[in-house]
Amino acid sequence: MRRTGFVSLLCAVVLYAGSRFVRRFGFDERLFGVELEPLTLLGLTLASLLLAFYGSYTICQSYLLTHTQNKRRRHDVRNVLRLTFGILGMVAVFGVVTREWVSVLFSLGVLGFAVTFALQQPLFSLIGWLYIMTKRPYQVGDRIAIEEMRGDVVAVDFFVTEVWEIDGDLVSSNQPSGRIVTVPNSTVLSSRVVNFYGEGVQYVWNELSIQVAYETDLQFASEVMVDVATDHLGDEMAEQVREYRDRLAETPVELDVNEQPTVNVVQSESWVELRLRYLVHPRRGTRMRNALYEDILERFNEHPDRVKFPVSRNR
């Protein structure tokens, strides 16, 4: 890619030299009564200008992407360079064609007001993109929920965000549906955005509920659930809780966060619900819940005298 950029710059220099040669020596050729010298000068100048911008864009992109290891940052760098060189190239082309740089900039300003009324939604989406780039409500790779859609962000362009859908109408239990949902960037300015996998704390709290009968030894059942969750999560959860506390320390929010899984007991009319609360990576939530269910139920079935389940007529 970088070699292509240097070749483009070399071609731009050659074309610019050609335009200077034509300007200095000139020629009086005509085609259908039209002088070819002004058109030749304009064509050579525009071609050299466009090649110069393309070569500079290619070299800058290659250099920055090579020195940026994070895939999310590389995606952002590519978009920012495209926007920057696109705007500069458009202004330069108009300036060369009209030869009035000040009037071009003024015209673009006047045109901007007109376009604001004609293209409100695309402009709001572009503003939304700038907001996403600066405030970072989400970025590529994050799992988000926006409006009624949930999924993993795969691309953030100037006007839309592409999301790999999870759940939706086809599947459940946080599983990908295989569909790509396109969301206008303007949505972040007017809707609630939930980020399950952002900077700082990259884990979320999950709950697993199991219904048992009133005759159950609740203390024993709770200890079994905590032991199973500790075997599966253990040090990983403790480490993430410490990061969670560090993040909370930077805010005025005061919360008591346990380093180990906990169980909350909820009373219902015909049974008792045991809710296991634990910290897990959002992309492993369903897999972890299934593993916990299997091990907990297996441990419960080993002690039928201490753990009993509600009979079917009461559920």
Side-chain angles (χ1 to χ4, degrees):
M1 181 180 295
R2 187 174 300 181
R3 180 179 301 176
T4 303
F6 284 116
V7 172
S8 298
L9 289 179
L10 179 61
C11 293
V13 172
V14 172
L15 291 175
Y16 180 74
S19 67
R20 299 300 297 178
F21 180 84
V22 172
R23 185 184 300 275
R24 181 172 181 178
F25 296 99
F27 58 90
D28 298 329
E29 297 295 331
R30 290 175 175 269
L31 182 65
F32 301 109
V34 179
E35 295 184 5
L36 295 180
E37 180 179 346
L39 294 178
T40 303
L41 285 173
L42 181 61
L44 291 174
T45 303
L46 287 178
S48 64
L49 184 65
L50 293 176
L51 284 172
F53 271 100
Y54 175 75
S56 301
Y57 164 76
T58 304
I59 293 173
C60 291
Q61 178 180 248
S62 177
Y63 176 80
L64 293 176
L65 294 184
T66 302
H67 291 77
T68 304
Q69 301 300 326
N70 192 307
K71 292 183 179 179
R72 303 180 181 186
R73 300 299 181 191
R74 295 177 68 180
H75 181 274
D76 296 340
V77 166
R78 190 180 295 108
N79 280 340
V80 171
L81 287 177
R82 285 168 53 194
L83 181 63
T84 302
F85 278 90
I87 293 175
L88 294 177
M90 182 177 63
V91 173
V93 168
F94 276 112
V96 169
V97 172
T98 62
R99 300 182 181 180
E100 294 289 342
W101 291 91
V102 176
S103 62
V104 168
L105 295 176
F106 177 77
S107 299
L108 289 176
V110 175
L111 181 63
F113 285 105
V115 171
T116 300
F117 293 98
L119 301 174
Q120 293 186 20
Q121 189 60 39
L123 286 177
F124 284 150
S125 293
L126 185 59
I127 294 173
W129 176 78
L130 294 174
Y131 173 79
I132 295 170
M133 291 296 103
T134 54
K135 300 299 291 183
R136 295 292 185 186
Y138 59 81
Q139 55 185 320
V140 173
D142 289 351
R143 174 161 292 185
I144 65 171
I146 181 168
E147 291 187 333
E148 298 180 356
M149 185 277 308
R150 299 177 63 192
D152 299 316
V153 180
V154 295
V156 181
D157 293 328
F158 299 132
F159 301 105
V160 298
T161 295
E162 294 183 358
V163 180
W164 187 276
E165 183 190 49
I166 60 173
D167 291 344
D169 302 328
L170 303 179
V171 296
S172 60
S173 301
N174 293 328
Q175 298 299 313
S177 67
R179 301 189 300 187
I180 296 292
V181 180
T182 300
V183 182
N185 290 336
S186 58
T187 308
V188 302
L189 303 176
S190 57
S191 301
R192 183 184 66 175
V193 178
V194 179
N195 192 334
F196 295 92
Y197 184 68
E199 295 292 339
V201 180
Q202 300 181 349
Y203 280 54
V204 295
W205 293 97
N206 266 13
E207 282 192 352
L208 180 152
S209 298
I210 294 182
Q211 299 168 356
V212 297
Y214 274 97
E215 297 80 8
T216 297
D217 185 343
L218 297 181
Q219 181 176 356
F220 171 77
S222 300
E223 291 176 354
V224 169
M225 296 177 71
V226 170
D227 290 342
V228 172
T230 302
D231 292 339
H232 281 272
L233 299 168
D235 297 337
E236 178 185 4
M237 177 173 171
E239 180 181 355
Q240 294 301 322
V241 168
R242 284 193 291 270
E243 293 186 8
Y244 194 85
R245 288 174 175 172
D246 293 340
R247 183 66 181 274
L248 284 176
E250 300 174 359
T251 70
V253 179
E254 295 184 3
L255 291 176
D256 184 17
V257 183
N258 293 314
E259 292 187 357
Q260 301 297 326
T262 58
V263 174
N264 297 319
V265 181
V266 180
Q267 180 182 6
S268 298
E269 293 183 0
S270 302
W271 61 79
V272 177
E273 187 173 351
L274 303 179
R275 297 179 180 176
L276 175 66
R277 189 170 186 266
Y278 55 94
L279 199 64
V280 67
H281 193 284
R283 289 195 176 90
R284 293 192 284 112
T286 300
R287 185 164 64 250
M288 180 59 65
R289 182 182 290 111
N290 292 339
L292 292 175
Y293 264 129
E294 292 177 1
D295 290 351
I296 290 173
L297 292 178
E298 182 179 354
R299 294 276 297 275
F300 280 176
N301 289 328
E302 293 175 355
H303 303 275
D305 55 328
R306 306 187 69 176
V307 179
K308 301 183 182 299
F309 297 99
V311 294
S312 58
R313 65 175 179 274
N314 292 328
R315 305 189 71 180

